[in-house]
Amino acid sequence: MHRVLSVDATLAPRDPGAPGQFGHPVAVPDDKQEEAKSRWKEGNFNVYLSDLIPVDRAIVDTRPAGCSEQRVHNDLPTTSIIMCFVDEVWSTLLRSVHSVLGRSPPRLIEELILVDDCSTKEYLKEKLDEYMLRFPKVKILHLKERHGLIRARLAGAEVAAGAVLTFLDSHVECNVGWLEPLLERVRLRRTKVACPVIEVISDKDMSYMTVDNFQRGIFTWPMNFGWRQIPQEVIKKNKIKETDIIRCPVMAGGLFAIDKTYFFELGTYDPGLDVWGGENMEISFKVWMCGGEIEIVPCSRVGHIFRNDNPYSFPKDRVRTVERNLARVAEVWLDEYKDLFYGHAYHLVLKNLDVGNLTQQIQLRKKLQCKSFRWYLENVYPELEAPLVKASGLLVNVALARCVTVENTTLALEACDSANEHQKFNYTWLRLIQHRELCLAPASTAGALGLHRCQGRTRSLAWLHRALAASQPGLTDHIVREQLPQPACLEADPSDKALRLNTCDSANPYQKWQFGNYYAD
Ligand code: UD2
Ligand code: MN
């Protein structure tokens, strides 16, 4: 074994006075404000400053103490770096490439594959080819049509020769010693997927900024990626050190190293995912549920320019593209929990989204004998709140203190009895009030109510309950049908103990209801 190498090669000695040197912030001179402003949209960051900063600038070594003393194996696997881009800013792309080649032990880099995802900018064609001639390890793939990030990465992976694939965005700066700790993890077990800590290159002043340690990649419903700090008490209790590996429920997506044969065994990414977004969820679920692990390696640090908006065009609408990708992921991986996804993105239920053919992905999951999403939640991400229904149990009318009861195929209000199976209902994420396979339904005759066989995604059986707190706080305890010509509320008829629909009245206690248990708002 040997101590991690702190390679930091440059083309020529560095000028300590150059703008942005050492990752310091740069200010736009007063007389260049207009120019800087007008060039911002080329990359949705300060392109003017990026062009001023040396392509091989130094950045501060932000690794936690102890990292530079860590030892790694002499026989680490080699890697192909795959960097996809579409219309990337010239100086930023170059700085990404220089940082990879300058700060990695050369023998570990099999090649650096630049995948040009059919960029429209002229400088990304012959001019780029010519510039990269100085780096024999750089290979450029000019895709003839726009593949989107996901399929562009796959095009790179197809031709890669290294034992490990390391994916990077095209606006990054790899810090010293970034590569060996990642490869060490993959070497330790080939099913480990290793991610560097993603640090921040400011979009405004281009400074290189470190981030808080102990961050995990997580998601919240409906599958929004985010970072969460490991709670202080957990760190204390488990004596977690700054250099300890952090297991992540999901990865951010852009920067990771994975064993190449493992990546192909997993069936790569779902190639049916379009352009951008959601692929990080897909690969994360797939890795965890099919025998692997996602780890953040604190001794590996890479800066990334976070931008407010994508600087390139989407072939189709951006929001729809991401929604469709996520729905594909939900359909393949979430099992019964997919209702939580749709419940938190209810507009998708109404849209009749076409997610495309899923047969191959579902077969793949079977073939790999992957575990269930429930297993994932219990073992990888127990912190996620994921109740399968929003509420359950008795459905009590507040005024009468009586419970909705199923009598054959009709409904009545009877004395409440928590042991009575006929009084048990679920209020589901798809907003159904469900008893076994039957759902509370407004019948065709005005005001009457009945039961109907449940149909997952039809709005015609959907009820709102406790969801109107913001817009109509007076109707919080009501059970509201929105779709009728005008909203109507479930009401207990005190004379014959029956149910009916009536005009909503916030003060009417016969319209107020309570489930036995609530699991979510
Ligand atoms: C994050 C990830 C990114 C990706 C994305 C979700 C990090 C740091 N970044 O968003 O890697 O997982 O989430 O999909 O974790 N690109 C193409 N073709 C396209 C679109 C993009 O080649 O059609 C390139 C683009 O030039 C860039 C990379 O793909 O190098 C990622 O795109 P991004 O930087 O816009 O994504 P980002 O960082 O907002
Ligand atoms: Mn990016």
Side-chain angles (χ1 to χ4, degrees):
M1 291 184 85
H2 64 271
R3 220 205 244 184
V4 165
L5 300 171
S6 298
V7 188
D8 194 4
T10 57
L11 303 168
R14 290 190 174 117
D15 168 10
Q21 193 62 278
F22 310 115
H24 292 163
V26 191
V28 177
D30 281 345
D31 60 331
K32 298 291 182 190
Q33 293 287 353
E34 279 306 307
E35 187 179 345
K37 207 171 154 195
S38 75
R39 295 201 57 200
W40 182 279
K41 60 185 177 305
E42 288 174 34
N44 284 338
F45 62 92
N46 203 326
V47 176
Y48 172 81
L49 290 183
S50 175
D51 286 358
L52 291 184
I53 297 169
V55 290
D56 60 352
R57 72 161 164 181
I59 47 180
V60 181
D61 180 354
T62 50
R63 290 175 297 174
C67 285
S68 57
E69 274 78 53
Q70 277 187 357
R71 301 176 76 79
V72 293
H73 283 85
N74 292 339
D75 61 347
L76 289 178
T78 65
T79 185
S80 295
I81 312 275
I82 299 173
M83 193 182 273
C84 300
F85 61 89
V86 55
D87 291 342
E88 188 56 81
V89 169
W90 175 255
S91 54
T92 311
L93 177 62
L94 260 47
R95 203 170 298 112
S96 306
V97 170
H98 279 274
S99 78
V100 170
L101 296 174
R103 298 200 182 97
S104 311
R107 58 174 196 90
L108 295 179
I109 305 273
E110 178 74 37
E111 62 199 337
L112 166 50
I113 304 173
L114 293 176
V115 186
D116 164 18
D117 190 10
C118 202
S119 296
T120 60
K121 303 270 193 280
E122 210 38 59
Y123 61 80
L124 292 170
K125 307 299 169 187
E126 285 90 45
K127 185 180 168 197
L128 182 68
D129 295 346
E130 200 171 303
Y131 184 94
M132 293 299 164
L133 285 177
R134 74 193 67 187
F135 299 125
K137 285 195 177 165
V138 173
K139 295 175 184 153
I140 308 182
L141 222 59
H142 293 288
L143 299 177
K144 295 276 178 302
E145 53 185 49
R146 178 83 176 271
H147 279 45
L149 155 70
I150 296 131
R151 291 191 287 268
R153 281 186 189 156
L154 297 183
E158 287 299 335
V159 301
V164 173
L165 305 175
T166 303
F167 294 100
L168 294 176
D169 276 11
S170 52
H171 33 266
V172 298
E173 286 173 68
C174 300
N175 214 319
V176 284
W178 75 286
L179 183 60
E180 285 183 304
L182 295 179
L183 298 178
E184 180 70 16
R185 299 307 294 173
V186 179
R187 183 194 174 281
L188 190 62
R189 193 182 300 147
R190 61 188 284 275
T191 54
K192 286 186 184 290
V193 177
C195 307
V197 172
I198 306 179
E199 304 205 281
V200 177
I201 303 169
S202 162
D203 57 343
K204 297 178 188 66
D205 62 24
M206 294 299 287
S207 60
Y208 185 100
M209 296 180 284
T210 191
V211 294
D212 291 338
N213 286 313
F214 308 115
Q215 303 269 2
R216 299 195 306 161
I218 55 105
F219 71 92
T220 52
W221 299 111
M223 275 197 269
N224 292 322
F225 175 81
W227 297 103
R228 279 286 183 294
Q229 187 99 19
I230 301 176
Q232 207 57 45
E233 56 273 19
V234 177
I235 297 175
K236 269 220 181 98
K237 192 172 143 245
N238 299 298
K239 302 199 174 70
I240 308 179
K241 298 193 301 292
E242 281 187 327
T243 50
D244 286 347
I245 300 293
I246 296 172
R247 291 152 62 88
C248 284
V250 290
M251 66 158 92
L255 327 181
F256 64 100
I258 185 168
D259 178 273
K260 188 176 65 189
T261 54
Y262 182 54
F263 185 63
F264 281 98
E265 268 166 46
L266 288 177
T268 70
Y269 288 117
D270 167 7
L273 298 175
D274 289 330
V275 190
W276 185 95
E279 91 297 337
N280 57 325
M281 296 292 152
E282 199 241 354
I283 196 80
S284 302
F285 296 154
K286 191 184 267 182
V287 165
W288 279 116
M289 291 164 66
C290 315
E293 299 155 276
I294 309 262
E295 301 182 338
I296 289 183
V297 183
C299 288
S300 173
R301 310 186 81 92
V302 176
H304 169 261
I305 307 178
F306 289 91
R307 303 166 300 188
N308 278 336
D309 197 5
N310 310 76
Y312 41 79
S313 68
F314 271 64
K316 289 186 195 134
D317 180 75
R318 173 193 146 122
V319 172
R320 274 165 201 261
T321 304
V322 178
E323 284 175 349
R324 180 185 168 282
N325 285 353
L326 287 176
R328 254 186 102 80
V329 176
E331 293 290 340
V332 177
W333 295 100
L334 297 197
D335 303 328
E336 68 271 31
Y337 291 86
K338 77 177 176 197
D339 281 6
L340 275 104
F341 168 73
Y342 287 111
H344 286 86
Y346 195 71
H347 63 289
L348 299 182
V349 177
L350 312 177
K351 251 189 203 172
N352 234 336
L353 206 65
D354 177 15
V355 297
N357 191 323
L358 299 168
T359 323
Q360 284 201 344
Q361 296 309 307
I362 291 167
Q363 267 174 10
L364 176 75
R365 187 176 157 183
K366 278 216 188 84
K367 192 189 98 192
L368 293 171
Q369 299 186 311
C370 306
K371 300 191 183 85
S372 65
F373 196 73
R374 175 190 285 270
W375 175 90
Y376 168 86
L377 288 180
E378 285 171 356
N379 293 278
V380 181
Y381 192 14
E383 299 82 2
L384 181 69
E385 287 202 36
L388 282 168
V389 293
K390 295 174 85 164
S392 70
L394 301 176
L395 178 47
V396 190
N397 182 266
V398 169
L400 293 177
R402 282 172 163 261
C403 282
V404 180
T405 311
V406 177
E407 292 182 338
N408 295 318
T409 53
T410 57
L411 293 163
L413 284 164
E414 305 281 348
C416 295
D417 170 9
S418 55
N420 185 348
E421 287 299 317
H422 300 291
Q423 294 186 348
K424 292 203 172 139
F425 290 86
N426 281 333
Y427 181 46
T428 74
W429 286 105
L430 298 179
R431 304 183 181 175
L432 308 177
I433 296 176
Q434 185 166 3
H435 172 80
R436 303 212 176 104
E437 72 286 357
L438 294 177
C439 279
L440 189 62
S444 48
T445 46
L449 268 145
L451 287 163
H452 195 284
R453 185 167 286 279
C454 302
Q455 286 164 328
R457 299 193 198 153
T458 57
R459 219 186 167 187
S460 62
L461 297 174
W463 302 85
L464 288 176
H465 177 55
R466 295 210 171 173
L468 297 167
S471 57
Q472 282 171 283
L475 298 183
T476 304
D477 295 324
H478 291 54
I479 291 182
V480 187
R481 280 279 309 164
E482 268 196 323
Q483 295 71 39
L484 301 174
Q486 65 200 48
C489 281
L490 184 66
E491 185 176 286
D493 180 346
S495 58
D496 61 357
K497 314 275 185 292
L499 291 161
R500 64 185 179 201
L501 275 180
N502 208 343
T503 312
C504 294
D505 168 8
S506 62
N508 184 348
Y510 293 96
Q511 292 186 1
K512 296 188 178 184
W513 302 87
Q514 232 164 19
F515 280 93
N517 307 291
Y518 288 89
Y519 309 101
D521 296 335

